[in-house]
Amino acid sequence: MEFLMERGALADAVAWAARVLPARSPVPVLGGLLLEARAGGLLRVSGLDHEASARIEVEADVEQPGQVLVLGRRLLDICRVLPGGTVRCALDGGRFAMSSAGARFGMSLLPCEERPAIPALPEFCGAVDAEVFAAAVAHVAVAAGRDDSLPVLTGIRLSVDGETMTLAATDRYRYAVRTLGWKPLSPQASADVVVPARRLSDIARSLDRSGTVRIALDGGTIGFDNAGRRLSTRLLDGRLPRHDKLFALPDGAVALTARAPLLEAVKRVSVVAEGDSPLQLSFSADSVRLHAGYEDDVASQQLPAALEGAPEMTVAFNPSYLVDALSSFDTDSVRFRLLGPGQRALLSAAADTGTRPAGDAGQHSHQHLLMSVKSPAGRAVTVPQGMD
């Protein structure tokens, strides 16, 4: 085996495939990356653990085809410190040798025959714009749970129905939903699965932002194919609670305000909030006043806003949850549908003039449900016990 490749391109390919390697594993070969130099000028780099797999194919000057299995994170460290320029990689006796501009490294080999084969992707069911998909995943991932004792709540629901894809996530205290258009292979395409949120977020960030990503699904695995890169991951068991009834709010007050100034004000005022102490938003006909803190440590700010359906309305939120919700939108303004203190509040995009990815216009709906907090005067309040 022998091939030549530009250092930056090699480092990028190795880093991309190494994203699925376990931090620690009792099985040494699962910490390895398989490098396959193929006739015709192609290098394939692949890695896997018990839950996910990654494979990338890039161009290389292949002088002798072959394959090696080496420790992935060690290989990545070497790629990062090699001098710039062309790297020569070859089998040298019982080692994998890498050299560039006078620097030379040798790596021990892992037994290829002991490494499980990269699983084949399930059958493809459709494709979606990579940039739109990545943005949609980022929008909902902020609401996914972090508690591994409730595995299904650490996932993102991905459902497809015809030409509509829905992504949703909840940790019981908030619920984010995003719909977008996609291109199914069959007009009757239908699926409803839960994908680990951390893994799906990492996959979405790794996508080429100028093309499409094909999606493959079966009963227990989801796969993605994009620009010479393939990733697969196991699905989570269970189902997220349906959002339909939660989002069907009765008539209440509706507040409209500019998103970016409100986000900055929330960040500014909440510096005096401690722990789960809430941040109050007091809406009136033409303004919203933010207030946080108790006793001597307090902060407030007033901003323009509009309120309909009530002469005034005061609600309170966990400030970090509100920051996450506002940050997930990309429009100039945001709309609050409010029922009152201690009840559900639904945030949605109120304008279409933000930095939405090209090709997404008219195909998306983004909503974020938060539980507001009852805030008796002068008393600290904790976050409510969810919206089960």
Side-chain angles (χ1 to χ4, degrees):
M1 174 193 189
E2 188 170 359
F3 66 91
L4 289 86
M5 194 170 177
E6 195 273 326
R7 186 201 65 86
L10 178 60
D12 288 346
V14 169
W16 193 88
R19 67 197 324 114
V20 300
L21 297 182
R24 296 180 182 85
S25 175
V27 184
V29 293
L30 289 183
L33 285 179
L34 183 66
L35 279 65
E36 302 173 82
R38 300 193 160 202
L42 191 69
L43 176 69
R44 175 182 291 177
V45 187
S46 56
L48 78 162
D49 67 5
H50 293 295
E51 302 295 331
S53 68
R55 191 193 80 186
I56 182 169
E57 294 180 342
V58 291
E59 293 181 356
D61 184 3
V62 178
E63 297 187 350
Q64 184 175 346
Q67 66 178 28
V68 296
L69 182 66
V70 294
L71 285 174
R73 299 193 184 280
R74 176 65 56 80
L75 176 62
L76 181 56
D77 289 342
I78 292 173
C79 288
R80 286 170 172 165
V81 300
L82 277 169
T86 301
V87 181
R88 179 177 291 274
C89 303
L91 274 177
D92 183 6
R95 289 179 177 167
F96 178 61
M98 305 176 68
S99 59
S100 174
R104 182 177 175 84
F105 291 85
M107 297 185 65
S108 57
L109 305 179
L110 297 173
C112 292
E113 64 277 6
E114 294 182 12
R115 177 182 182 268
I118 292 285
L121 287 187
E123 183 177 350
F124 287 106
C125 57
V128 63
D129 182 276
E131 184 179 9
V132 174
F133 181 72
V137 171
H139 288 164
V140 303
V142 295
R146 308 293 190 269
D147 185 357
D148 290 332
S149 66
L150 297 169
V152 71
L153 294 184
T154 66
I156 292 175
R157 177 188 175 214
L158 188 156
S159 64
V160 294
D161 183 9
E163 296 183 352
T164 300
M165 175 184 291
T166 301
L167 300 173
T170 180
D171 60 3
R172 296 186 305 131
Y173 306 110
R174 47 195 172 160
Y175 206 138
V177 176
R178 170 77 192 266
T179 59
L180 61 153
W182 84 309
K183 297 178 180 179
L185 292 182
S186 167
Q188 290 77 39
S190 177
D192 194 342
V193 299
V194 181
V195 189
R198 292 175 191 167
R199 188 75 74 182
L200 186 58
S201 296
D202 181 65
I203 289 171
R205 286 192 298 266
S206 75
L207 298 175
D208 185 344
R209 300 305 178 92
S210 61
T212 60
V213 54
R214 293 193 297 165
I215 296 177
L217 271 172
D218 66 11
T221 303
I222 186 168
F224 302 88
D225 180 275
N226 166 255
R229 295 166 290 188
R230 287 193 170 191
L231 282 148
S232 68
T233 187
R234 289 186 182 179
L235 301 171
L236 293 173
D237 294 328
R239 291 287 182 268
L240 293 182
R242 301 283 299 188
H243 66 273
D244 311 65
K245 292 183 178 180
L246 288 171
F247 281 48
L249 271 63
D251 291 339
V254 177
L256 181 68
T257 186
R259 184 192 66 85
L262 179 61
L263 175 59
E264 291 305 312
V266 171
K267 293 177 179 178
R268 181 178 300 115
V269 173
S270 63
V271 297
V272 299
E274 296 185 4
D276 290 334
S277 62
L279 181 146
Q280 284 188 342
L281 277 69
S282 298
F283 290 96
S284 63
D286 58 3
S287 68
V288 57
R289 181 176 178 270
L290 288 74
H291 179 277
Y294 296 99
E295 299 179 352
D296 294 330
D297 297 330
V298 295
S300 65
Q301 184 172 349
Q302 188 162 317
L303 297 171
L307 180 69
E308 297 179 355
E312 59 183 30
M313 175 72 73
T314 296
V315 289
F317 300 103
N318 177 308
S320 65
Y321 288 0
L322 184 56
V323 166
D324 286 344
L326 293 171
S327 300
S328 70
F329 288 91
D330 53 21
T331 51
D332 291 342
S333 301
V334 64
R335 177 182 289 110
F336 290 77
R337 292 185 59 194
L338 304 168
L339 300 180
Q343 300 189 58
R344 289 166 290 161
L346 186 64
L347 281 68
S348 59
D352 198 22
T353 57
T355 56
R356 178 180 303 175
D360 196 23
Q363 295 187 20
H364 99 304
S365 171
H366 177 201
Q367 296 177 303
H368 198 114
L369 191 73
L370 291 174
M371 289 297 294
S372 63
V373 183
K374 285 187 177 181
S375 180
R379 294 179 58 190
V381 187
T382 58
V383 176
Q385 294 302 308
M387 46 176 136
D388 300 296

